Amino acid sequence: MKKLQVELADRIKDLPPYLFASIDKMKQEAIDAGKDIINLGVGDPDLPTPAPIIDTLQKAATNPKHHQYPSYVGMLSFRQAVADWYKRRFNATFDPKTEVLSLIGSKEGVAHLPMALINPGDTAMMTDPGYPVYEAGTLFAGGKSYFVPLKIENGFLPDLDAIPPEVADKAKLFFLNYPGNPTAAVANHAFYEKLVAFAHRHNVVICHDAAYSEIYYDGKRPVGFMEVGGAKEVGIELHSLSKTYNMTGWRIGFAVGNSNIVGALGQVKTNIDSGIFQAIQEAGITALEMDDQPLAAIRNIYQERRDVLVGGLQKLGFKVDPPQAAFYVWIPVPPGLSSSEMTAKMLKECAIVTTPGNGFGKHGEGYFRMTLCVTKERLQEAVDRMEKAGIRG
Ligand SMILES: *Cc1c(COP(=O)(O)O)cnc(C)c1O
């Protein structure tokens, strides 16, 4: 019989090249050679989920009513807990029935949102460097991506006035993310106000990804997009329990915002997934109702780690400021090296996995990213290995 020719769809063929493939291969080779790898590549908290959240899951898992299909949009009690949290945290008001939607992690919301807003050929804008799913989701919906550069001289905020007006007028959607991955940049009130005005001027929907809003340092709580007047009218914010409560494996997040956008995303999802296991939603309610104590302890741990890594890098001559939020350090590569050359060198000479900046977009070239998701002792070990190898900024 003739062998079946599997002809893949263009949307798969058109995906951007996976820039982390060569680093993955080198990492596997180092592991196979028995090297003691320090993995500062992944943005995935190593700390455990706080105990009360796990207790709620354990109890809720025995309830047979949770064993059936969950509600598509999320249990009303979960959406109410989200609305209450937004009110407490950002003084922003959302109707849990029409302006809140549960997500199977915020990545899922990012990937599906373009299907609700983008027709084939339409443009979505997104920052460069940025989370790669903004581009992939746009591509899967048949849309075109327009990359807005983030530059150090602007604090890694987009220069909205530099976006050509004809591009902004044509665009349907604009993805942004503060505190940011990979830059760890934080936005301020004035920027968000400008962003709301920009959205009105160009009739573009803002999708703000707030995955890191609760990971911050020195007691300085970042301003939220939804805190700014008019934000709810022009957009949607995606959020997640993943990074805040060390729950990346649980897959639970949420969207809030303009009811037309939230509703349209819900319509897409209703036709694709069947919601989140309700026992996990019960645990999510426990997380959102938790007082700040466990979070303060988690922030302290990251802050100690940040100070060890950034202090060590500065001693080695790297020009890097301590990030104010998120668990990433975004570092200029030493002169004469590209991002990929730097990450290859770190792996070969120090057995440290890092991420090349160009994997987040072409404006990420010249940087590499280290995460704070290992103990401070391991971070000190990483700095010591760099010093021993003579790697300097
Ligand atoms: C981690 C991350 C997400 C996805 O988190 P979920 O686990 O899917 O909620 C979304 N956006 C950014 C920028 C991230 O770094």
Side-chain angles (χ1 to χ4, degrees), residues 43 104-108 131 134 177 181 209 211-212 240 242-243 248 251-252 328:
I104 309 172
S106 51
K107 180 178 186 177
E108 183 258 307
Y131 186 56
Y134 308 140
N177 158 229
N181 175 13
D209 175 352
Y212 296 96
S240 163
S242 288
K243 312 290 164 59
T248 49
R251 310 315 301 138
I252 179 164
Y328 300 109

Side-chain angles (χ1 to χ4, degrees), residues 8 87 139 148 163 213:
L8 297 183
K87 183 74 197 157
L139 177 75
V148 180
I163 299 171
S213 75

